[in-house]
Amino acid sequence: MNLGDVQKRLQAPFPANLVAWKPGAFSRDRSRAMMMAHIDARAVQDRLDAICPDDWAFEVEVVPGTRQPTVKGRLTVLGVSREDIGEAPEGDLGTLKAAASDALKRCAVHFGIGRYLYDLPKTWADWDDAKRVPLQTPELPDWARPDHERTPGGAHLMQAMEQLRMELPEDLDLQREVYKHLKAALGALHPDKVAAR
């Protein structure tokens, strides 16, 4: 397997529940914020583990003499390496760990992981400056969602499956009951595919 074999899988959109939003700019009165979509470093790690679990590595090197914690990261995937700088945010979150996470995400973009998020249109939202949150979370356009989320109910089903993965009951009878309900839900979305199983 080489990098070209997995490029499309690396570049695939993430489920909407893994995409978070943060303010990139504010209006003068701070009543509106330009929201920027981003993913967590763990989402990058999970993507790499799913595609090439034994053939990726990440290294960091501290950059001395900077105002805030800064590292140079090197991500190697299937023998190909890409480098970028990671910086920690100012304040309490300004740690080398935060800088390393930033570097991993920036290096991953060089492989196409999450790069589509930079193509999203500028999205302004009403902003609650006291709580430091948007009044309404922006929605991803259809093209920035995985195929299974472009069908009615797909996003809710994937969130339920992710929660189920974390909370699957140990009792075998309960697992069978959960499977029966999941199969019925999938049947409502894709009756022809489920019937063939």
PDB file of all heavy atoms in Angstrom, residues 21-23 25-27 29-35 124-138:
ATOM      1  N   TRP A  21     -16.477  24.312  16.026  1.00  0.00           N
ATOM      2  CA  TRP A  21     -16.433  25.678  15.500  1.00  0.00           C
ATOM      3  C   TRP A  21     -15.807  26.594  16.538  1.00  0.00           C
ATOM      4  O   TRP A  21     -16.095  26.489  17.726  1.00  0.00           O
ATOM      5  CB  TRP A  21     -17.837  26.163  15.162  1.00  0.00           C
ATOM      6  CG  TRP A  21     -18.486  25.361  14.073  1.00  0.00           C
ATOM      7  CD1 TRP A  21     -19.185  24.193  14.218  1.00  0.00           C
ATOM      8  CD2 TRP A  21     -18.493  25.649  12.678  1.00  0.00           C
ATOM      9  NE1 TRP A  21     -19.625  23.748  12.999  1.00  0.00           N
ATOM     10  CE2 TRP A  21     -19.221  24.628  12.032  1.00  0.00           C
ATOM     11  CE3 TRP A  21     -17.965  26.685  11.903  1.00  0.00           C
ATOM     12  CZ2 TRP A  21     -19.421  24.606  10.663  1.00  0.00           C
ATOM     13  CZ3 TRP A  21     -18.164  26.672  10.534  1.00  0.00           C
ATOM     14  CH2 TRP A  21     -18.882  25.629   9.923  1.00  0.00           C
ATOM     15  N   LYS A  22     -14.956  27.511  16.072  1.00  0.00           N
ATOM     16  CA  LYS A  22     -14.370  28.511  16.966  1.00  0.00           C
ATOM     17  C   LYS A  22     -14.363  29.864  16.258  1.00  0.00           C
ATOM     18  O   LYS A  22     -14.361  29.923  15.024  1.00  0.00           O
ATOM     19  CB  LYS A  22     -12.955  28.110  17.371  1.00  0.00           C
ATOM     20  CG  LYS A  22     -11.968  28.027  16.210  1.00  0.00           C
ATOM     21  CD  LYS A  22     -10.619  27.560  16.685  1.00  0.00           C
ATOM     22  CE  LYS A  22      -9.658  27.407  15.505  1.00  0.00           C
ATOM     23  NZ  LYS A  22      -8.357  26.890  15.926  1.00  0.00           N
ATOM     24  N   PRO A  23     -14.372  30.946  17.031  1.00  0.00           N
ATOM     25  CA  PRO A  23     -14.381  32.261  16.402  1.00  0.00           C
ATOM     26  C   PRO A  23     -13.011  32.609  15.820  1.00  0.00           C
ATOM     27  O   PRO A  23     -11.985  32.361  16.445  1.00  0.00           O
ATOM     28  CB  PRO A  23     -14.752  33.200  17.555  1.00  0.00           C
ATOM     29  CG  PRO A  23     -14.292  32.487  18.782  1.00  0.00           C
ATOM     30  CD  PRO A  23     -14.437  31.021  18.492  1.00  0.00           C
ATOM     31  N   ALA A  25     -12.794  35.815  14.018  1.00  0.00           N
ATOM     32  CA  ALA A  25     -12.831  37.277  14.027  1.00  0.00           C
ATOM     33  C   ALA A  25     -14.167  37.707  14.608  1.00  0.00           C
ATOM     34  O   ALA A  25     -15.122  36.922  14.633  1.00  0.00           O
ATOM     35  CB  ALA A  25     -12.658  37.812  12.607  1.00  0.00           C
ATOM     36  N   PHE A  26     -14.218  38.950  15.073  1.00  0.00           N
ATOM     37  CA  PHE A  26     -15.441  39.477  15.678  1.00  0.00           C
ATOM     38  C   PHE A  26     -15.825  40.796  15.021  1.00  0.00           C
ATOM     39  O   PHE A  26     -14.963  41.529  14.525  1.00  0.00           O
ATOM     40  CB  PHE A  26     -15.240  39.724  17.185  1.00  0.00           C
ATOM     41  CG  PHE A  26     -15.005  38.477  17.980  1.00  0.00           C
ATOM     42  CD1 PHE A  26     -13.722  38.091  18.322  1.00  0.00           C
ATOM     43  CD2 PHE A  26     -16.072  37.697  18.392  1.00  0.00           C
ATOM     44  CE1 PHE A  26     -13.498  36.934  19.057  1.00  0.00           C
ATOM     45  CE2 PHE A  26     -15.860  36.548  19.142  1.00  0.00           C
ATOM     46  CZ  PHE A  26     -14.579  36.169  19.469  1.00  0.00           C
ATOM     47  N   SER A  27     -17.110  41.087  15.075  1.00  0.00           N
ATOM     48  CA  SER A  27     -17.553  42.422  14.693  1.00  0.00           C
ATOM     49  C   SER A  27     -17.061  43.401  15.764  1.00  0.00           C
ATOM     50  O   SER A  27     -16.661  42.981  16.857  1.00  0.00           O
ATOM     51  CB  SER A  27     -19.077  42.471  14.573  1.00  0.00           C
ATOM     52  OG  SER A  27     -19.675  42.155  15.822  1.00  0.00           O
ATOM     53  N   ASP A  29     -18.554  45.388  17.758  1.00  0.00           N
ATOM     54  CA  ASP A  29     -19.284  45.325  19.032  1.00  0.00           C
ATOM     55  C   ASP A  29     -19.330  43.912  19.626  1.00  0.00           C
ATOM     56  O   ASP A  29     -19.980  43.677  20.636  1.00  0.00           O
ATOM     57  CB  ASP A  29     -20.695  45.879  18.870  1.00  0.00           C
ATOM     58  CG  ASP A  29     -21.551  45.052  17.904  1.00  0.00           C
ATOM     59  OD1 ASP A  29     -21.036  44.063  17.320  1.00  0.00           O
ATOM     60  OD2 ASP A  29     -22.727  45.403  17.725  1.00  0.00           O
ATOM     61  N   ARG A  30     -18.638  42.986  18.976  1.00  0.00           N
ATOM     62  CA  ARG A  30     -18.544  41.581  19.414  1.00  0.00           C
ATOM     63  C   ARG A  30     -19.913  40.902  19.513  1.00  0.00           C
ATOM     64  O   ARG A  30     -20.093  39.965  20.284  1.00  0.00           O
ATOM     65  CB  ARG A  30     -17.778  41.463  20.736  1.00  0.00           C
ATOM     66  CG  ARG A  30     -16.320  41.869  20.613  1.00  0.00           C
ATOM     67  CD  ARG A  30     -15.546  41.668  21.879  1.00  0.00           C
ATOM     68  NE  ARG A  30     -15.358  40.277  22.224  1.00  0.00           N
ATOM     69  CZ  ARG A  30     -14.307  39.531  21.865  1.00  0.00           C
ATOM     70  NH1 ARG A  30     -13.366  40.045  21.096  1.00  0.00           N
ATOM     71  NH2 ARG A  30     -14.217  38.289  22.261  1.00  0.00           N
ATOM     72  N   SER A  31     -20.865  41.371  18.703  1.00  0.00           N
ATOM     73  CA  SER A  31     -22.182  40.728  18.683  1.00  0.00           C
ATOM     74  C   SER A  31     -22.248  39.646  17.613  1.00  0.00           C
ATOM     75  O   SER A  31     -23.177  38.850  17.586  1.00  0.00           O
ATOM     76  CB  SER A  31     -23.283  41.763  18.435  1.00  0.00           C
ATOM     77  OG  SER A  31     -23.145  42.315  17.135  1.00  0.00           O
ATOM     78  N   ARG A  32     -21.243  39.616  16.737  1.00  0.00           N
ATOM     79  CA  ARG A  32     -21.170  38.593  15.687  1.00  0.00           C
ATOM     80  C   ARG A  32     -19.741  38.081  15.592  1.00  0.00           C
ATOM     81  O   ARG A  32     -18.791  38.814  15.886  1.00  0.00           O
ATOM     82  CB  ARG A  32     -21.632  39.153  14.342  1.00  0.00           C
ATOM     83  CG  ARG A  32     -23.127  39.479  14.356  1.00  0.00           C
ATOM     84  CD  ARG A  32     -23.664  40.012  13.045  1.00  0.00           C
ATOM     85  NE  ARG A  32     -23.424  39.212  11.852  1.00  0.00           N
ATOM     86  CZ  ARG A  32     -24.047  38.079  11.542  1.00  0.00           C
ATOM     87  NH1 ARG A  32     -24.942  37.573  12.355  1.00  0.00           N
ATOM     88  NH2 ARG A  32     -23.776  37.444  10.417  1.00  0.00           N
ATOM     89  N   ALA A  33     -19.611  36.812  15.208  1.00  0.00           N
ATOM     90  CA  ALA A  33     -18.292  36.205  15.074  1.00  0.00           C
ATOM     91  C   ALA A  33     -18.217  35.424  13.766  1.00  0.00           C
ATOM     92  O   ALA A  33     -19.199  34.807  13.359  1.00  0.00           O
ATOM     93  CB  ALA A  33     -18.001  35.270  16.245  1.00  0.00           C
ATOM     94  N   MET A  34     -17.055  35.498  13.124  1.00  0.00           N
ATOM     95  CA  MET A  34     -16.825  34.653  11.959  1.00  0.00           C
ATOM     96  C   MET A  34     -16.356  33.302  12.488  1.00  0.00           C
ATOM     97  O   MET A  34     -15.314  33.203  13.150  1.00  0.00           O
ATOM     98  CB  MET A  34     -15.774  35.249  11.024  1.00  0.00           C
ATOM     99  CG  MET A  34     -15.611  34.436   9.750  1.00  0.00           C
ATOM    100  SD  MET A  34     -14.480  35.177   8.572  1.00  0.00           S
ATOM    101  CE  MET A  34     -12.923  34.928   9.416  1.00  0.00           C
ATOM    102  N   MET A  35     -17.142  32.272  12.242  1.00  0.00           N
ATOM    103  CA  MET A  35     -16.868  30.962  12.806  1.00  0.00           C
ATOM    104  C   MET A  35     -16.008  30.133  11.860  1.00  0.00           C
ATOM    105  O   MET A  35     -16.238  30.109  10.652  1.00  0.00           O
ATOM    106  CB  MET A  35     -18.177  30.239  13.108  1.00  0.00           C
ATOM    107  CG  MET A  35     -19.108  31.008  14.043  1.00  0.00           C
ATOM    108  SD  MET A  35     -18.345  31.412  15.630  1.00  0.00           S
ATOM    109  CE  MET A  35     -18.127  29.781  16.338  1.00  0.00           C
ATOM    110  N   TRP A 124     -20.710  33.817   9.349  1.00  0.00           N
ATOM    111  CA  TRP A 124     -20.860  34.701  10.494  1.00  0.00           C
ATOM    112  C   TRP A 124     -22.055  34.241  11.322  1.00  0.00           C
ATOM    113  O   TRP A 124     -23.059  33.806  10.778  1.00  0.00           O
ATOM    114  CB  TRP A 124     -21.058  36.146  10.037  1.00  0.00           C
ATOM    115  CG  TRP A 124     -19.785  36.766   9.552  1.00  0.00           C
ATOM    116  CD1 TRP A 124     -19.263  36.682   8.295  1.00  0.00           C
ATOM    117  CD2 TRP A 124     -18.860  37.528  10.319  1.00  0.00           C
ATOM    118  NE1 TRP A 124     -18.070  37.345   8.229  1.00  0.00           N
ATOM    119  CE2 TRP A 124     -17.792  37.884   9.464  1.00  0.00           C
ATOM    120  CE3 TRP A 124     -18.829  37.951  11.643  1.00  0.00           C
ATOM    121  CZ2 TRP A 124     -16.713  38.641   9.891  1.00  0.00           C
ATOM    122  CZ3 TRP A 124     -17.740  38.715  12.071  1.00  0.00           C
ATOM    123  CH2 TRP A 124     -16.702  39.051  11.206  1.00  0.00           C
ATOM    124  N   ALA A 125     -21.913  34.315  12.630  1.00  0.00           N
ATOM    125  CA  ALA A 125     -22.998  33.906  13.530  1.00  0.00           C
ATOM    126  C   ALA A 125     -23.154  34.944  14.635  1.00  0.00           C
ATOM    127  O   ALA A 125     -22.174  35.603  15.022  1.00  0.00           O
ATOM    128  CB  ALA A 125     -22.685  32.540  14.138  1.00  0.00           C
ATOM    129  N   ASP A 126     -24.372  35.083  15.139  1.00  0.00           N
ATOM    130  CA  ASP A 126     -24.601  35.931  16.307  1.00  0.00           C
ATOM    131  C   ASP A 126     -23.821  35.340  17.478  1.00  0.00           C
ATOM    132  O   ASP A 126     -23.791  34.115  17.659  1.00  0.00           O
ATOM    133  CB  ASP A 126     -26.094  36.007  16.629  1.00  0.00           C
ATOM    134  CG  ASP A 126     -26.869  36.775  15.559  1.00  0.00           C
ATOM    135  OD1 ASP A 126     -26.273  37.656  14.906  1.00  0.00           O
ATOM    136  OD2 ASP A 126     -28.057  36.481  15.367  1.00  0.00           O
ATOM    137  N   TRP A 127     -23.188  36.207  18.266  1.00  0.00           N
ATOM    138  CA  TRP A 127     -22.237  35.764  19.276  1.00  0.00           C
ATOM    139  C   TRP A 127     -22.647  36.245  20.666  1.00  0.00           C
ATOM    140  O   TRP A 127     -22.994  37.410  20.859  1.00  0.00           O
ATOM    141  CB  TRP A 127     -20.860  36.309  18.917  1.00  0.00           C
ATOM    142  CG  TRP A 127     -19.760  35.940  19.841  1.00  0.00           C
ATOM    143  CD1 TRP A 127     -19.173  36.739  20.791  1.00  0.00           C
ATOM    144  CD2 TRP A 127     -19.087  34.683  19.927  1.00  0.00           C
ATOM    145  NE1 TRP A 127     -18.182  36.055  21.456  1.00  0.00           N
ATOM    146  CE2 TRP A 127     -18.111  34.786  20.941  1.00  0.00           C
ATOM    147  CE3 TRP A 127     -19.228  33.473  19.253  1.00  0.00           C
ATOM    148  CZ2 TRP A 127     -17.279  33.725  21.274  1.00  0.00           C
ATOM    149  CZ3 TRP A 127     -18.400  32.421  19.595  1.00  0.00           C
ATOM    150  CH2 TRP A 127     -17.435  32.546  20.595  1.00  0.00           C
ATOM    151  N   ASP A 128     -22.618  35.337  21.629  1.00  0.00           N
ATOM    152  CA  ASP A 128     -22.848  35.688  23.028  1.00  0.00           C
ATOM    153  C   ASP A 128     -21.477  35.859  23.670  1.00  0.00           C
ATOM    154  O   ASP A 128     -20.806  34.882  24.015  1.00  0.00           O
ATOM    155  CB  ASP A 128     -23.634  34.568  23.727  1.00  0.00           C
ATOM    156  CG  ASP A 128     -23.981  34.905  25.166  1.00  0.00           C
ATOM    157  OD1 ASP A 128     -23.259  35.716  25.790  1.00  0.00           O
ATOM    158  OD2 ASP A 128     -24.975  34.358  25.669  1.00  0.00           O
ATOM    159  N   ASP A 129     -21.042  37.114  23.797  1.00  0.00           N
ATOM    160  CA  ASP A 129     -19.683  37.372  24.270  1.00  0.00           C
ATOM    161  C   ASP A 129     -19.506  37.013  25.739  1.00  0.00           C
ATOM    162  O   ASP A 129     -18.414  36.654  26.167  1.00  0.00           O
ATOM    163  CB  ASP A 129     -19.306  38.837  24.024  1.00  0.00           C
ATOM    164  CG  ASP A 129     -17.802  39.029  23.952  1.00  0.00           C
ATOM    165  OD1 ASP A 129     -17.116  38.147  23.400  1.00  0.00           O
ATOM    166  OD2 ASP A 129     -17.313  40.050  24.466  1.00  0.00           O
ATOM    167  N   ALA A 130     -20.584  37.088  26.530  1.00  0.00           N
ATOM    168  CA  ALA A 130     -20.485  36.739  27.951  1.00  0.00           C
ATOM    169  C   ALA A 130     -20.207  35.241  28.115  1.00  0.00           C
ATOM    170  O   ALA A 130     -19.372  34.836  28.927  1.00  0.00           O
ATOM    171  CB  ALA A 130     -21.769  37.124  28.678  1.00  0.00           C
ATOM    172  N   LYS A 131     -20.899  34.417  27.330  1.00  0.00           N
ATOM    173  CA  LYS A 131     -20.712  32.962  27.420  1.00  0.00           C
ATOM    174  C   LYS A 131     -19.632  32.451  26.473  1.00  0.00           C
ATOM    175  O   LYS A 131     -19.233  31.294  26.542  1.00  0.00           O
ATOM    176  CB  LYS A 131     -22.029  32.250  27.112  1.00  0.00           C
ATOM    177  CG  LYS A 131     -23.108  32.514  28.123  1.00  0.00           C
ATOM    178  CD  LYS A 131     -24.379  31.776  27.749  1.00  0.00           C
ATOM    179  CE  LYS A 131     -25.484  32.063  28.740  1.00  0.00           C
ATOM    180  NZ  LYS A 131     -26.760  31.441  28.348  1.00  0.00           N
ATOM    181  N   ARG A 132     -19.203  33.325  25.535  1.00  0.00           N
ATOM    182  CA  ARG A 132     -18.166  32.993  24.539  1.00  0.00           C
ATOM    183  C   ARG A 132     -18.577  31.820  23.655  1.00  0.00           C
ATOM    184  O   ARG A 132     -17.801  30.910  23.399  1.00  0.00           O
ATOM    185  CB  ARG A 132     -16.840  32.726  25.234  1.00  0.00           C
ATOM    186  CG  ARG A 132     -16.403  33.918  26.085  1.00  0.00           C
ATOM    187  CD  ARG A 132     -15.002  33.810  26.515  1.00  0.00           C
ATOM    188  NE  ARG A 132     -14.167  33.825  25.320  1.00  0.00           N
ATOM    189  CZ  ARG A 132     -12.852  33.835  25.332  1.00  0.00           C
ATOM    190  NH1 ARG A 132     -12.215  33.852  26.473  1.00  0.00           N
ATOM    191  NH2 ARG A 132     -12.164  33.833  24.225  1.00  0.00           N
ATOM    192  N   VAL A 133     -19.834  31.874  23.197  1.00  0.00           N
ATOM    193  CA  VAL A 133     -20.367  30.842  22.296  1.00  0.00           C
ATOM    194  C   VAL A 133     -21.256  31.499  21.244  1.00  0.00           C
ATOM    195  O   VAL A 133     -21.837  32.553  21.491  1.00  0.00           O
ATOM    196  CB  VAL A 133     -21.197  29.766  23.056  1.00  0.00           C
ATOM    197  CG1 VAL A 133     -20.330  28.973  24.007  1.00  0.00           C
ATOM    198  CG2 VAL A 133     -22.359  30.404  23.795  1.00  0.00           C
ATOM    199  N   PRO A 134     -21.389  30.864  20.076  1.00  0.00           N
ATOM    200  CA  PRO A 134     -22.353  31.378  19.101  1.00  0.00           C
ATOM    201  C   PRO A 134     -23.764  31.073  19.574  1.00  0.00           C
ATOM    202  O   PRO A 134     -23.990  30.085  20.279  1.00  0.00           O
ATOM    203  CB  PRO A 134     -22.011  30.615  17.813  1.00  0.00           C
ATOM    204  CG  PRO A 134     -21.384  29.349  18.286  1.00  0.00           C
ATOM    205  CD  PRO A 134     -20.674  29.684  19.563  1.00  0.00           C
ATOM    206  N   LEU A 135     -24.712  31.938  19.213  1.00  0.00           N
ATOM    207  CA  LEU A 135     -26.097  31.690  19.596  1.00  0.00           C
ATOM    208  C   LEU A 135     -26.659  30.483  18.870  1.00  0.00           C
ATOM    209  O   LEU A 135     -27.552  29.800  19.374  1.00  0.00           O
ATOM    210  CB  LEU A 135     -26.958  32.928  19.330  1.00  0.00           C
ATOM    211  CG  LEU A 135     -26.593  34.160  20.161  1.00  0.00           C
ATOM    212  CD1 LEU A 135     -27.522  35.316  19.841  1.00  0.00           C
ATOM    213  CD2 LEU A 135     -26.646  33.852  21.657  1.00  0.00           C
ATOM    214  N   GLN A 136     -26.128  30.214  17.674  1.00  0.00           N
ATOM    215  CA  GLN A 136     -26.533  29.027  16.924  1.00  0.00           C
ATOM    216  C   GLN A 136     -25.301  28.471  16.217  1.00  0.00           C
ATOM    217  O   GLN A 136     -24.581  29.206  15.549  1.00  0.00           O
ATOM    218  CB  GLN A 136     -27.621  29.370  15.911  1.00  0.00           C
ATOM    219  CG  GLN A 136     -28.167  28.149  15.213  1.00  0.00           C
ATOM    220  CD  GLN A 136     -29.374  28.490  14.347  1.00  0.00           C
ATOM    221  OE1 GLN A 136     -29.833  29.628  14.291  1.00  0.00           O
ATOM    222  NE2 GLN A 136     -29.883  27.495  13.662  1.00  0.00           N
ATOM    223  N   THR A 137     -25.062  27.172  16.372  1.00  0.00           N
ATOM    224  CA  THR A 137     -23.909  26.543  15.740  1.00  0.00           C
ATOM    225  C   THR A 137     -24.118  26.470  14.236  1.00  0.00           C
ATOM    226  O   THR A 137     -25.191  26.060  13.784  1.00  0.00           O
ATOM    227  CB  THR A 137     -23.705  25.116  16.297  1.00  0.00           C
ATOM    228  OG1 THR A 137     -23.567  25.207  17.717  1.00  0.00           O
ATOM    229  CG2 THR A 137     -22.463  24.468  15.720  1.00  0.00           C
ATOM    230  N   PRO A 138     -23.116  26.879  13.453  1.00  0.00           N
ATOM    231  CA  PRO A 138     -23.263  26.804  11.994  1.00  0.00           C
ATOM    232  C   PRO A 138     -23.460  25.366  11.515  1.00  0.00           C
ATOM    233  O   PRO A 138     -23.053  24.412  12.185  1.00  0.00           O
ATOM    234  CB  PRO A 138     -21.941  27.365  11.475  1.00  0.00           C
ATOM    235  CG  PRO A 138     -21.380  28.154  12.608  1.00  0.00           C
ATOM    236  CD  PRO A 138     -21.851  27.479  13.859  1.00  0.00           C
TER     237      PRO A 138
END
